[in-house]
Amino acid sequence: MPEKPEPGMTILVKTVTRLTAWLILLYGIYIVLHGHISPGGGFAGGVIIALSFIHLMLAYGKEVVFRKLSKEMVELMESTGALVFLAIALLGLTTGYFFGNFLPAGEPFNLFSAGTIPLSNIAISFKVWAGLFAVFLALVLLRIDNVGE
Amino acid sequence: MSDPVVLLPCFVAVPLAAAFVNSLLGKRIHWLSDLLGSLTPLILLGLSLLAVQAVRADSVLVYQVGGWKLPIGIAMVMDGLTSFMLVTVNMVTFAIAVYARDYMERYTSKEMFYTLFLLMLAGMNGVIVSGDLFNLFVFLEIAAVASYALVAFGTERHELEAAFKYAVMGTVGSLFILLGIVFLYSVTSTLNMADMGQMLAKQKDTNLILMVSVLFLMGFGLKAALVPFHAWLPDAHPSAPAPISAMLSGVLIKTLGIYALSRIFFNVIGLTPAVSSILMFLGTLSMVVGVLLAIGQRDLKRLLAYSSISQIGYVVLGIGLATPLGILGGLLHLFNHSVFKALLFLNSGALEYATGTRDLEAMGGLRKKMPVTSTTSFVASMSIAGMPPFGGFWSKLLIIMAAVQAGHLGYALWAVIVSVLTLALFARVIKNAFLGNLDDRWQGVREVPAFMQASMMALAFICLVSGTLLIPGIREVFLNQATEIFVKGSDYSILILGNI
Amino acid sequence: MVELYFLLVFMIIGSVGALQAKDLLSSVVALGAVGLGLCLTFLILKAPDVAITQLVVEILSIIILIRATLRKDLPEVPTGGWMFPSAMGVGFAVILLLVALKCFPDLPVFGEPKLRVAQHYLDSGLQETGAANLVASVILDYRAYDTLGEATVLLTAVMGVLAVVRKVGRKKPDQPEEQTDA
Amino acid sequence: MIYLLCLVLFCVGIYGLLSKRNIIKMIVGLIIAEHAVNLFFILVAYRRNGRAPILAPDVAITQMVDPLPQALVLTAIVIGLATTALLVALAIRIYGKYGTYDIAKIRELRG
């Protein structure tokens, strides 16, 4: 895509995107939260959330997305996600083992069950979407900067 | 810390935590990444020395991650070989990290460098302590991906190209390894290495084992840069920043390549005579081809890279002989090579730092201007060439003796010839770089900063004294325990499964 | 299992197409088709978790690859004078397939895996972890350590990408630029 | 044999990697080979007339496929994505420096 005077695509695409991006985002969150009951999980959900942001960005141009969250913010979230996951692992030491499951297993088939698994899913999803979005941002920015080279 | 088993997860958790914290805060607090980068390998070195102590008392420690019983969960294993590798890796890494503190000032985004560096360290430690085949693969990928990025850290054109080549070949290697793991899983239906070893002990010499051996040989051979698969190394090593070349040559190819290869062949699949002779052949081939290619080089780092291939050949030959003496020699040479090749790459980095060139023909007479660099590089060159008082002599001697003892006179002869060629090679390096008349261009050259000097001196000291590892008393603690693990072969699984 | 064979043949044809396509964009699109076929295959093989992940990962990697190819008119270079690597590739494939053919009888028959360790997950996964999705219980509880490693690989790659795309790698040295790439 | 077809796919990927001299084509070949390995893992886990390894409150556990390889493949897919991202970043940078994706031309251009 060469740079256009007006960022983003046509009004039609923008209107549709406004609806679908949120749906995709919600679906991603659903996948993350239900990872221990139904197919999916932190990784798939995280990628879907990242895709919803990428979707927004492709339609509206990068400025709109940058107004909502900066690149530093994204990198920060990624490291935080990784640290939270490691912290869950270390908290497992309270049961005597690295990665011990320190929460009660709970009632099966409920949303709040399976000990640390949902927590880990959330931590991973944060990490994944932030990380992949950072990659995408890096590659997009690179292309625009490199035109003159 | 009453139970030494708790040591095991620390080897992975400490560098990972340091890397995450560094990526989080390194940009804002500038001294933090320097501190974390050097302190973490130091802590790990201390821990690994504790581990040597613990292994001596207990011989094998098994840590079951998450508290799941062994074939079900992932196991971490600490035995003589593990502690040997941990000491080697963390010691060399510590010296390199101290060196990188000043050297990397020349590059931008130093905190990113340290994050990747720590991740690579975490990956290598993870590979070493892992007792689970797939887990080994995952940590191998961490170290490998970090190294791809680090090779390209300078983002010059040839660096990017070398990194791309390295990344493609490394990924192909990983795919072969993964395919091998799939085959093994489908027959044994387990991933724990000890459990798998026990299952496979019943069915040796089937076609499946042949297939898996071929896949692993190609995969780990690519990682270790054995000769038919060495094409990436002479590009990747010179392109990386000097501390990373030292890491790649010093420890990475040994951990990901040789350690993993020999662990799987000796303790999981069980070494068949065919594989053993292939290893010896590939080792000798790498030895000869590497040194021949090194002779023609003018670029110092490229020369060192080719010589790495040659020295790796010695290690593989020693381990491939599969006699206790050969393995002992191979392991000692692995240790020695980590130290002196890391030192040589740091020297070349110091030369580049001071003069801005790596061309041997352009240098000369730098002895007066850079006394520390020239002395340490003299020590390292003599050690790599196998001159008597230095460490390299003893390990080469052991390997040659073992080859003679096992009746492989041809291989022993080649080892001697290559040793002589190496001496000639490094004599030329010393002569061109440090002796002779000082060119007017280099009048303004100064010795490198103090931290870089300190780390080079420390490594040179280890080069001098590493022969003492063979003295009875010290040898029992360190080398013999590692050798034993190989000699035990498939009995390793009984040792581990009996020790839960 | 006819559809399985059908899908596999489709994937092979698709990948040959992806490799032989004249321009890069259609090559990447053909790769997307192969990924979609793989995703369907995973579904048929009763691996819904993997299928979902494969689908979204495929989308993302295709987007990234398209970013790389969209740039300009990228004429595909004819591969003449490139015989040796092709021969090497064919030779490698033939050897690998021959050895593989010999070793297939040693593998368990398709559709009857051995299930030694896995039987434990199936039997007691629910009681021990409380997760109904056994795959989730394996990746986040029994083998959570692997997942830590996996998350770290991703972090490493992100850091690597960020490091690689820096515009200036070296600070401008105060001495002459090195010219060592001889 | 279904396994053989899967390995053919792997070989197609490796062949593409070896014989193509366009960087993007090489990455494509690599991704295909990765797909093949992942597929092989899932094939190994399959049980004839099996069910997906997800429990429901009212169904007994019978004939489930092996969940372990699925978990491993999830890991492998993410690792593959990570590697691909890094490779593409390198490729774009190389394009920026050399102005071509042709590896032979890049070699000629070198120093």
Side-chain angles (χ1 to χ4, degrees), chain B residues 110-400:
Chain B
K110 200 172 159 196
E111 74 284 341
M112 220 176 242
F113 168 81
Y114 270 122
T115 305
L116 286 167
F117 187 82
L118 288 170
L119 286 169
M120 186 156 99
L121 179 62
M124 284 191 290
N125 278 334
V127 167
I128 295 170
V129 296
S130 180
D132 186 279
L133 204 51
F134 191 77
N135 191 246
L136 188 147
F137 170 76
V138 171
F139 277 87
L140 184 143
E141 278 293 287
I142 295 177
V145 170
S147 68
Y148 306 150
L150 282 170
V151 167
F153 202 74
T155 66
E156 298 287 322
R157 41 169 61 186
H158 59 277
E159 286 163 352
L160 292 167
E161 191 208 332
F164 184 79
K165 197 170 166 188
Y166 175 32
V168 167
M169 297 190 73
T171 312
V172 173
S174 305
L175 282 179
F176 282 129
I177 295 168
L178 190 58
L179 198 58
I181 293 174
V182 179
F183 273 103
L184 279 184
Y185 176 81
S186 71
V187 216
T188 59
S189 184
T190 180
L191 284 164
N192 185 276
M193 292 208 273
D195 200 19
M196 195 179 262
Q198 221 166 31
M199 295 284 292
L200 289 175
K202 291 169 208 155
Q203 39 174 336
K204 275 191 182 166
D205 289 331
T206 53
N207 285 326
L208 186 102
I209 297 296
L210 176 75
M211 175 86 184
V212 171
S213 304
V214 169
L215 287 173
F216 278 148
L217 261 180
M218 288 198 286
F220 290 117
L222 269 166
K223 300 273 179 198
L226 287 175
V227 148
F229 318 109
H230 69 287
W232 58 271
L233 189 141
D235 282 335
H237 286 204
S239 301
I244 297 310
S245 321
M247 282 296 275
L248 288 176
S249 230
V251 287
L252 192 83
I253 54 176
K254 301 200 181 65
T255 312
L256 303 193
I258 295 181
Y259 166 80
L261 179 74
S262 43
R263 171 71 93 185
I264 287 174
F265 273 119
F266 276 83
N267 296 141
V268 180
I269 301 179
L271 194 72
T272 53
V275 172
S276 166
S277 51
I278 290 175
L279 280 180
M280 279 190 284
F281 177 72
L282 287 182
T284 316
L285 192 68
S286 317
M287 217 155 75
V288 177
V289 172
V291 83
L292 288 180
L293 287 171
I295 283 173
Q297 300 299 325
R298 279 180 62 172
D299 182 346
L300 178 56
K301 280 175 102 174
R302 194 168 263 271
L303 183 148
L304 291 176
Y306 277 115
S307 133
S308 273
I309 299 174
S310 161
Q311 300 297 316
I312 283 291
Y314 274 103
V315 180
V316 172
L317 173 64
I319 290 175
L321 282 168
T323 59
L325 192 65
I327 294 167
L328 181 71
L331 287 176
L332 183 62
H333 198 68
L334 190 154
F335 177 84
N336 280 332
H337 183 244
S338 301
V339 177
F340 58 61
K341 190 46 68 65
L343 178 53
L344 281 167
F345 269 115
L346 296 187
N347 287 145
S348 75
L351 284 174
E352 193 183 347
Y353 187 90
T355 66
T357 182
R358 297 191 314 233
D359 188 350
L360 274 174
E361 306 291 324
M363 295 180 206
L366 290 168
R367 178 170 46 103
K368 295 227 176 60
K369 293 284 177 191
M370 307 176 72
V372 175
T373 309
S374 61
T375 317
T376 50
S377 94
F378 178 75
V379 170
S381 305
M382 287 305 107
S383 190
I384 197 174
M387 296 305 279
F390 300 103
F393 169 70
W394 303 103
S395 46
K396 284 190 182 175
L397 184 70
L398 280 178
I399 292 170
I400 293 167

Side-chain angles (χ1 to χ4, degrees), chain C residues 26-40:
Chain C
S26 44
S27 163
V28 172
V29 171
L31 179 69
V34 175
L36 197 63
L38 183 66
C39 181
L40 285 176

Side-chain angles (χ1 to χ4, degrees), chain B residues 72 108 132 135 153 159, chain C residues 114 121 143 146 166 168 170:
Chain B
I72 293 162
T108 53
D132 186 279
N135 191 246
F153 202 74
E159 286 163 352
Chain C
K114 277 203 166 161
Y121 298 143
R143 297 184 68 89
D146 265 357
R166 286 173 312 148
V168 186
R170 293 165 201 268

Side-chain angles (χ1 to χ4, degrees), chain B residues 1 22 51 53 58 87 101 121 161 172 196-197 246 282 336 434 481-482 485 496:
Chain B
M1 280 291 185
N22 191 24
Q53 203 60 32
D58 241 352
V87 171
R101 180 189 171 280
L121 179 62
E161 191 208 332
V172 173
M196 195 179 262
L282 287 182
N336 280 332
F434 298 111
Q481 286 191 344
I485 297 297
I496 287 189

Side-chain angles (χ1 to χ4, degrees), chain D residues 3-76:
Chain D
Y3 290 152
L4 187 68
L5 279 179
C6 189
L7 277 185
V8 169
L9 189 63
F10 181 75
C11 288
V12 168
I14 294 289
Y15 167 78
L17 184 70
L18 286 173
S19 64
K20 295 297 164 194
R21 51 183 221 183
N22 186 305
I23 288 182
I24 298 292
K25 286 277 178 76
M26 288 167 81
I27 297 176
V28 167
L30 209 55
I31 293 176
I32 290 168
E34 253 165 36
H35 283 169
V37 175
N38 291 343
L39 178 59
F40 201 86
F41 224 145
I42 296 291
L43 283 176
V44 160
Y46 184 69
R47 225 173 178 184
R48 195 159 291 132
N49 307 320
R51 290 185 41 232
I54 293 163
L55 301 169
D58 49 348
V59 187
I61 308 167
T62 44
Q63 278 292 87
M64 283 200 174
V65 301
D66 189 347
L68 182 54
Q70 298 196 6
L72 303 185
V73 168
L74 280 180
T75 308

